[in-house]
Amino acid sequence: MKKKNHEITRLDDTKLIFILKGLLIGLLSGTVVSFFRLAIEKLMAQTVKFYQWSHTHPSYLLLWAVLMTVIAVILAQLIKSDPDIKGSGIPQVEGQLQGEIHQRWFSVLWKKFVGGVLGVGAGLFLGREGPSIQLGAMVAQGFSEKTRASTSESKIFLSSGAAAGLAAAFNAPIAGLMFVIEEVHHTFSPLMWLTSLTAAIASNLVSLNFFGLRPVLYVENVPQLPLHLYAPLVLLGVILGILGYVYQATLLSLPYWFSKTKLPTNFYCIIPFLLIIPVGYFFPHYLGGGNQIVIALGHEYFPFTFLCVIFLLRFIFSMVSYGSNLPGGIFLPILTLGALIGAIYGTALQQLFGMDPIFIRDFAIFAMAGYFTAIGKAPLTAILLVTEMVGNITHLMPLAVVSLVAYVVNDILGGNPIYESLLERLLKHKTVTISGKKTIIEYPVTVESNLDNVMVRDFNWPKEMILVSLRRGTNEIITHGDTVMKAGDILQILTDEGSERTIRQKIGQKDNAPTVMKQDKK
């Protein structure tokens, strides 16, 4: 009995230590990301002021074009010196957690910071949240290296930094945690979620001290959606699923179209920096990630044609901005496009069927979650993120309906999670190598798994791994050939760091393949 109590104490001490480390990571990540967010907002404000001023001094646009070109060249050199700062940074973080990518944390940290501020602050249609996630992860990686953490601990810290980055970017700590669980890991680990939640809360606390308690996309007086409007809600989900698939296909085809320019890859960024000038001149208040558009949709009513024009403008230029490999994300631009789709749909209902225009803002909010779900295939993250950003928890049911329908429709069309697709493209020329570093990976046994109720010896495991134990609830069981795996178990697998992705894929293919194993278990 005394031994058992000693083990429980040791386990609780471990959790407490990780919570304290998560707290430190959250405070550090929150500070970095808050300064990143603040710098973008200050630079964006000056950019908008210039475009407004240029209406009375148009000759200065030529000088502005020269400045934009200089900034683009600076960013091109930064990208060339460290390609890991390209894009949102989320695929790079996921790749590092899978053992496929190793980032130089300090190089990525300062170059992503500078690149993100210059790109997003100059008005390009990019988001701050992807870079914020990568910045938080790099802070955590630096913490891991300085404290000489083990490979398993480093992954927990990296996950915590990613959650902290999203929490600070959007003041959404719960969505930050859910993003790590649903999008990054696709599994549930007690130590990981405890540390990540602590980091996200601490990071959000820092961000609130910078920007105040008001939610990022706060929309007040949003009415409850009447039950008779739930049928149009389902149709909206179908539309979002289809348009989400179009977005995925377009985004993944961008390298092909940019290759037609014959420019060196790292100089693609010159294109959006020059093309954004006329957009900024005519639409200065619609630059950047788009949070100001979402807020405006929650307080004003816009003509149908105008909404369609803004949607097409933002869709095209967000593709041009992201496809140029600039350090910037697609998170907020996706939410903005979703809000515009919802507003267009709600305006059509109002004009065609006499719907009360007050419900247009409802459809804009619900479409944000549905569109992000269709593209990212992370419905729980989308629902929680929109709820926290808008500052209203009374719309969970319609948010869930739209997200579920959009997910199913996109799945039927063959859409894949956009960040996984971007990671696949990032790794397509990479060969599996043995790093010489051991790591423990976790694999969940789900209720539909072929592993459920199967003895360890009866499953054909990959040769590059050893199943060392499984965690069942709060207990850890050393596995033997006759150990029966059950739904809810978390398998602890020892392998080489360079083989982690391959191991997951091989087990996943056998685990989810339609076989007679289920029948054999009976």
Side-chain angles (χ1 to χ4, degrees):
M1 178 64 72
K2 291 183 178 180
K3 183 178 180 181
K4 183 177 181 181
N5 291 336
H6 175 72
E7 289 175 352
I8 292 174
T9 302
R10 182 182 58 80
L11 180 61
D12 290 343
D13 288 346
T14 299
K15 290 180 179 179
L16 180 60
I17 290 171
F18 272 84
I19 288 173
L20 292 175
K21 290 181 178 180
L23 178 64
L24 182 56
I25 290 171
L27 293 174
L28 292 172
S29 299
T31 302
V32 171
V33 174
S34 294
F35 276 112
F36 177 69
R37 180 176 162 186
L38 184 64
I40 288 175
E41 290 185 3
K42 296 295 184 182
L43 183 56
M44 175 66 75
Q46 297 303 315
T47 300
V48 172
K49 284 183 180 180
F50 170 79
Y51 281 118
Q52 292 174 323
W53 177 78
S54 68
H55 283 86
T56 56
H57 303 82
S59 59
Y60 281 89
L61 286 174
L62 182 60
L63 183 61
W64 187 256
V66 174
L67 177 61
M68 290 293 99
T69 303
V70 171
I71 294 175
V73 171
I74 292 173
L75 289 178
Q77 295 305 315
L78 286 177
I79 293 170
K80 183 179 181 180
S81 65
D82 197 333
D84 285 330
I85 69 170
K86 292 192 295 187
S88 72
I90 294 175
Q92 287 89 331
V93 173
E94 291 186 359
Q96 182 151 351
L97 285 168
Q98 294 177 11
E100 297 282 356
I101 294 173
H102 179 75
Q103 302 177 80
R104 296 174 295 163
W105 73 270
F106 187 72
S107 172
V108 172
L109 184 66
W110 78 263
K111 291 175 183 177
K112 191 76 169 193
F113 190 104
V114 172
V117 169
L118 292 177
V120 183
L124 299 182
F125 291 5
L126 296 168
R128 63 174 180 256
E129 63 300 316
S132 297
I133 289 171
Q134 190 177 22
L135 290 175
M138 292 303 96
V139 170
Q141 183 181 334
F143 176 85
S144 298
E145 292 185 10
K146 296 300 181 182
T147 58
R148 298 182 180 179
S150 66
T151 302
S152 300
E153 290 175 334
S154 296
K155 291 183 179 181
I156 293 175
F157 297 151
L158 202 71
S159 303
S160 303
L166 182 57
F170 282 153
N171 294 133
I174 308 304
L177 169 64
M178 185 54 65
F179 176 81
V180 168
I181 293 174
E182 187 178 30
E183 170 65 33
V184 177
H185 285 284
H186 311 291
T187 187
F188 185 88
S189 168
L191 272 183
M192 185 273 291
W193 82 258
L194 270 175
T195 314
S196 296
L197 178 60
T198 305
I201 292 174
S203 177
N204 186 57
L205 181 62
V206 174
S207 178
L208 292 176
N209 278 278
F210 272 77
F211 304 102
L213 294 171
R214 192 180 185 89
V216 175
L217 300 179
Y218 181 64
V219 180
E220 56 186 351
N221 300 323
V222 182
Q224 290 274 12
L225 191 72
L227 288 175
H228 72 271
L229 289 178
Y230 270 66
L233 204 61
V234 173
L235 179 58
L236 175 61
V238 173
I239 294 171
L240 291 169
I242 295 171
L243 293 180
Y245 180 79
V246 172
Y247 183 98
Q248 292 170 330
T250 305
L251 191 76
L252 295 175
S253 68
L254 290 176
Y256 169 79
W257 295 109
F258 268 90
S259 67
K260 298 293 184 181
T261 64
K262 305 302 181 183
L263 287 171
T265 304
N266 55 307
F267 279 98
Y268 287 167
C269 56
I270 292 177
I271 298 173
F273 266 101
L274 294 180
L275 291 180
I276 200 66
I277 295 175
V279 177
Y281 182 80
F282 291 107
F283 303 99
H285 294 292
Y286 297 99
L287 296 174
N291 54 307
Q292 72 281 11
I293 296 176
V294 178
I295 294 173
L297 291 174
H299 297 88
E300 303 175 44
Y301 302 118
F302 297 91
F304 181 84
T305 304
F306 178 78
L307 291 171
C308 292
V309 170
I310 295 299
F311 172 79
L312 290 174
L313 178 72
R314 288 202 60 88
F315 183 88
I316 294 171
F317 276 88
S318 65
M319 291 296 171
V320 173
S321 299
Y322 189 80
S324 64
N325 295 323
L326 280 166
I330 56 176
F331 226 118
L332 187 54
I334 287 174
L335 295 175
T336 303
L337 290 173
L340 286 167
I341 294 171
I344 292 169
Y345 185 76
T347 302
L349 290 178
Q350 186 266 324
Q351 294 180 356
L352 294 175
F353 303 104
M355 183 190 75
D356 190 330
I358 196 172
F359 295 116
I360 294 176
R361 67 186 64 176
D362 288 71
F363 284 100
I365 291 171
F366 305 152
M368 282 195 290
Y371 197 56
F372 181 81
T373 295
I375 295 169
K377 307 298 283 289
L380 295 179
T381 300
I383 293 169
L384 290 174
L385 181 64
V386 172
T387 298
E388 289 188 286
M389 291 177 70
V390 173
N392 194 315
I393 63 171
T394 62
H395 301 288
L396 292 176
M397 178 64 176
L399 283 169
V401 170
V402 173
S403 298
L404 178 61
V405 174
Y407 183 98
V408 171
V409 170
N410 185 271
D411 215 40
I412 292 172
L413 293 174
N416 295 308
I418 191 62
Y419 292 117
E420 287 188 11
S421 299
L422 291 172
L423 177 59
E424 290 285 349
R425 191 174 69 186
L426 195 64
L427 300 176
K428 64 181 180 179
H429 299 304
K430 185 178 178 66
T431 56
V432 177
T433 57
I434 301 299
S435 67
K437 297 180 180 179
K438 293 177 292 185
T439 185
I440 296 289
I441 64 175
E442 296 183 336
Y443 189 90
V445 180
T446 58
V447 291
E448 72 275 13
S449 171
N450 285 328
L451 295 168
D452 182 23
N453 207 30
V454 168
M455 288 186 180
V456 169
R457 63 169 173 254
D458 292 334
F459 189 80
N460 186 18
W461 301 99
K463 296 180 180 179
E464 305 90 348
M465 55 148 282
I466 298 174
L467 178 60
V468 292
S469 66
L470 62 83
R471 190 170 61 248
R472 183 171 295 162
T474 58
N475 299 318
E476 186 164 1
I477 301 171
I478 303 299
T479 53
H480 304 283
D482 57 356
T483 302
V484 178
M485 298 172 286
K486 298 182 180 295
D489 290 348
I490 303 294
L491 306 182
Q492 308 287 310
I493 297 171
L494 177 66
T495 186
D496 185 84
E497 217 175 53
S499 302
E500 179 176 344
R501 184 178 176 83
T502 303
I503 293 297
R504 289 188 183 277
Q505 288 177 340
K506 287 183 177 180
I507 296 178
Q509 289 169 358
K510 297 173 184 176
D511 179 23
N512 299 311
T515 67
V516 296
M517 191 175 292
K518 291 285 186 182
Q519 298 175 2
D520 292 341
K521 289 187 290 185
K522 297 178 182 179

